């Protein structure tokens, strides 16, 4: 018997008022509307004015005149050693699959809330018939993180372990994985076993994830400073340590460690990038960087579900102000953390 999962449906709350942190002197004014960020071939990062028409999900619109500076060196020499295995290819002749589990690994502030709301459209609450499972919790406490993960795996109603059992011959289900639901680097074996369970039933396990360009992701997260009552210094402190629990995680750190302390084994950034790409290659069929249209189109092709609109949710309409130095400092930290290389490799591989 398939267990009755009790979907927990939620919305993240953002403050939307303008946040100004620096005097207008040498200030880059960043509006959360549309991102135009160019990473130049020679390591130059330029910001350009973009015309904002309609709000899109916490992307970054930089209003100031264009400027550029020497970004820290990239370390692309190692790219050929990163992960020799090719990415997972879809066998189009098999599509749509007739049954399966859609597993959405939701990285905060990447446009994931838009995807989650769209997935919920297919569930009974919104007139669909697809079962949905999620269990997620807060962060800032490693013990709490482990409790949340345990409940996601096998808690009340059986967790994911039960959710992947007893699929009907044409049945689809949706699992949503968010804060502390799964600490992917260390819990890969679980994803593996859920995938095998589903495949043993002749169905397909569709791992999917949305990434975002890492600098605009980090900048957009500054909207949370007031909510946590912390300073900018507190906000980035964990990125200057070898491994520490921070108030937020970068895209790569969240993908690997979710909300636990970043880099608990003190590995090199090259190893983090390699591991991230390996996890994608092994378990994820849909991987995009901010491309909601491609996400939707691919998922519909795989599942055969009827098309539905995907309106943007969780957009932040406030204004965040940064100095040029702050942006440069963040770029350096993100480069040292592996994020810049990771997203660049993801874009190369997945388009
Ligand atoms: C973290 O959670 C554990 C167990 O729930 C609790 O004992 C501990 O006091 C919490 N720590 C903090 C700093 O809140
Ligand atoms: C992932 O976790 C394993 C232990 O399960 C550890 O040995 C490895 O260094 C970690 N990898 C990364 C990239 O942190």
């Amino acid at each position: 018997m398939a267990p009755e999962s009790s979907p927990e449906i939620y919305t993240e709350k953002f403050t939307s008022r303008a946040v100004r942190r620096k005097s207008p002197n040498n200030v880059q004014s960043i509006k959360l509307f549309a991102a135009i960020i160019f990473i130049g071939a020679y390591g130059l990062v330029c910001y350009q004015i973009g015309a904002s028409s309609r709000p899109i999900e916490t992307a970054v619109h930089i209003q100031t005149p264009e400027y550029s500076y020497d970004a820290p060196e990239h370390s692309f020499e190692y790219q050929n050693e990163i992960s020799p295995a090719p990415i997972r290819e879809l066998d189009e002749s098999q599509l749509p699959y007739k049954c399966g589990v859609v597993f959405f690994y939701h990285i905060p502030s990447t446009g994931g809330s838009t995807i989650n709301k769209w997935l919920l459209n297919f569930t009974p609450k919104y007139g669909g018939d697809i079962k949905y499972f999620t269990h997620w919790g807060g962060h800032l406490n490693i013990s709490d993180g482990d409790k949340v993960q345990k409940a996601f795996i096998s808690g009340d109603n059986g967790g994911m372990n039960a959710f992947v059992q007893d699929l009907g011959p044409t049945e689809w289900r949706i699992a949503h994985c968010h804060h502390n639901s799964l600490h992917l680097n260390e819990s890969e074996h679980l994803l593996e076993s859920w995938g095998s369970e589903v495949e043993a039933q002749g169905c397909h396990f569709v791992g999917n994830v949305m990434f975002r360009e890492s600098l605009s992701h980090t900048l957009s997260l500054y909207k949370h400073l007031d909510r946590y009552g912390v300073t900018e210094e507190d906000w980035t402190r964990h990125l200057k340590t070898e491994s520490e629990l921070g108030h937020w995680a970068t895209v790569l750190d969240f993908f690997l460690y979710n909300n636990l302390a970043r880099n608990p084994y003190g590995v090199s950034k090259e190893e983090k990038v390699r591991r991230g790409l390996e996890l994608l290659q092994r378990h994820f069929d849909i991987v995009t960087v901010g491309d909601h249209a491609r996400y939707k189109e691919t998922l519909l092709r795989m599942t055969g579900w009827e098309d539905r609109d995907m309106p943007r949710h969780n957009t932040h309409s406030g204004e965040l102000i940064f100095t040029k130095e702050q942006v440069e400092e963040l770029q350096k930290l993100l480069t040292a953390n592996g994020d810049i290389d990771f997203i660049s490799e993801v874009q190369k591989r997945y388009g």
Side-chain angles (χ1 to χ4, degrees):
M1 266 295 288
E4 274 302 307
S5 64
S6 49
E8 299 172 16
I9 295 165
Y10 62 86
T11 10
E12 287 179 35
K13 290 180 189 65
F14 291 154
T15 57
S16 62
R17 74 202 153 78
V19 184
R20 285 182 181 273
R21 308 195 171 280
K22 288 284 187 286
S23 70
N25 190 20
N26 186 27
V27 146
Q28 312 304 322
S29 168
I30 296 182
K31 260 200 171 169
L32 295 176
F33 282 132
I36 306 186
I37 295 183
F38 297 103
I39 300 185
Y42 300 102
L44 289 182
V45 178
C46 313
Y47 294 89
Q48 284 199 343
I49 300 174
S52 69
S53 45
R54 66 192 173 86
I56 62 165
E57 188 140 3
T58 59
V60 179
H61 172 199
I62 295 152
Q63 290 181 306
T64 49
E66 181 181 339
Y67 73 89
S68 65
Y69 68 93
D70 290 327
E73 252 176 55
H74 283 262
S75 44
F76 290 133
E77 312 85 61
Y78 64 79
Q79 74 192 25
N80 293 329
E81 306 154 25
I82 283 181
S83 181
I87 67 170
R88 291 154 74 89
E89 297 281 352
L90 294 181
D91 178 355
E92 300 287 339
S93 69
Q94 302 291 309
L95 303 185
Y97 299 115
K98 59 188 183 6
C99 56
V101 172
V102 170
F103 184 88
F104 174 43
Y105 192 92
H106 180 173
I107 299 177
S109 288
T110 55
S113 149
T114 289
I115 290 178
N116 190 40
K117 286 256 168 48
W118 180 75
L119 291 171
L120 283 167
N121 268 318
F122 296 94
T123 68
K125 188 166 174 154
Y126 298 92
D129 58 359
I130 296 184
K131 277 190 184 158
Y132 174 94
F133 170 72
T134 188
H135 178 83
W136 61 279
H139 52 306
L140 294 181
N141 188 329
I142 291 182
S143 333
D144 289 349
D146 285 341
K147 267 193 280 180
V148 174
Q149 182 179 233
K150 282 194 184 118
F152 182 77
I153 298 165
S154 60
D156 294 346
N157 305 314
M160 270 302 284
N161 284 348
F163 194 66
V164 296
Q165 310 287 338
D166 302 318
L167 282 159
T170 59
E171 183 181 0
W172 281 97
R173 292 182 194 166
I174 297 166
H176 168 254
C177 174
H178 199 29
H179 290 313
N180 282 313
S181 303
L182 190 70
H183 305 137
L184 195 50
N185 177 53
E186 293 179 43
S187 302
E188 181 191 7
H189 60 286
L190 294 165
L191 207 49
E192 181 74 47
S193 72
W194 297 330
S196 310
E197 286 285 348
V198 169
E199 271 149 34
Q201 297 167 66
C203 300
H204 203 89
F205 190 83
V206 183
N208 57 98
V209 62
M210 173 71 73
F211 293 112
R212 177 173 174 179
E213 191 279 313
S214 48
L215 182 59
S216 82
H217 176 256
T218 298
L219 295 176
S220 82
L221 287 165
Y222 275 66
K223 69 196 169 202
H224 294 308
L225 285 184
D226 284 359
R227 181 167 122 181
Y228 290 111
V230 298
T231 63
E232 287 168 4
E233 188 58 28
D234 295 334
W235 201 240
T236 48
R237 190 167 45 97
H238 67 290
L239 287 180
K240 295 172 184 150
T241 66
E242 184 166 284
S243 172
E244 198 177 276
L245 193 60
H247 287 279
W248 56 277
T250 69
V251 167
L252 176 57
D253 287 342
F254 191 93
F255 184 62
L256 292 174
Y257 314 114
N258 204 304
N259 268 329
L260 295 183
R262 57 183 279 278
N263 203 359
Y265 298 92
V267 301
S268 66
K269 75 165 183 177
E270 286 81 3
E271 172 56 13
K272 285 170 69 177
V273 175
R274 189 205 63 78
R275 179 67 172 140
L277 294 170
E278 177 178 81
L279 288 165
L280 286 177
Q281 188 268 324
R282 289 186 182 161
H283 307 287
F284 289 82
D285 284 312
I286 308 177
V287 179
T288 80
V289 183
D291 188 343
H292 287 78
R294 191 159 62 81
Y295 174 93
K296 182 172 115 160
E297 181 269 321
T298 314
L299 189 66
L300 293 178
R301 214 146 35 85
M302 293 181 79
T303 57
W305 298 347
E306 215 175 89
D307 196 0
R308 296 188 188 214
D309 283 350
M310 191 189 267
R312 296 291 179 145
H313 284 287
N314 221 352
T315 59
H316 177 75
S317 55
E319 195 174 32
L320 302 174
I321 312 287
F322 296 92
T323 63
K324 182 169 181 280
E325 287 71 29
Q326 278 180 303
V327 175
E328 288 173 357
E329 167 78 356
L330 281 174
Q331 175 82 11
K332 275 191 197 126
L333 289 170
L334 292 170
T335 301
N337 200 49
D339 282 80
I340 303 290
D341 288 355
F342 178 65
I343 293 300
S344 154
E345 283 296 322
V346 168
Q347 271 163 334
K348 257 189 244 164
R349 279 161 186 256
Y350 297 92

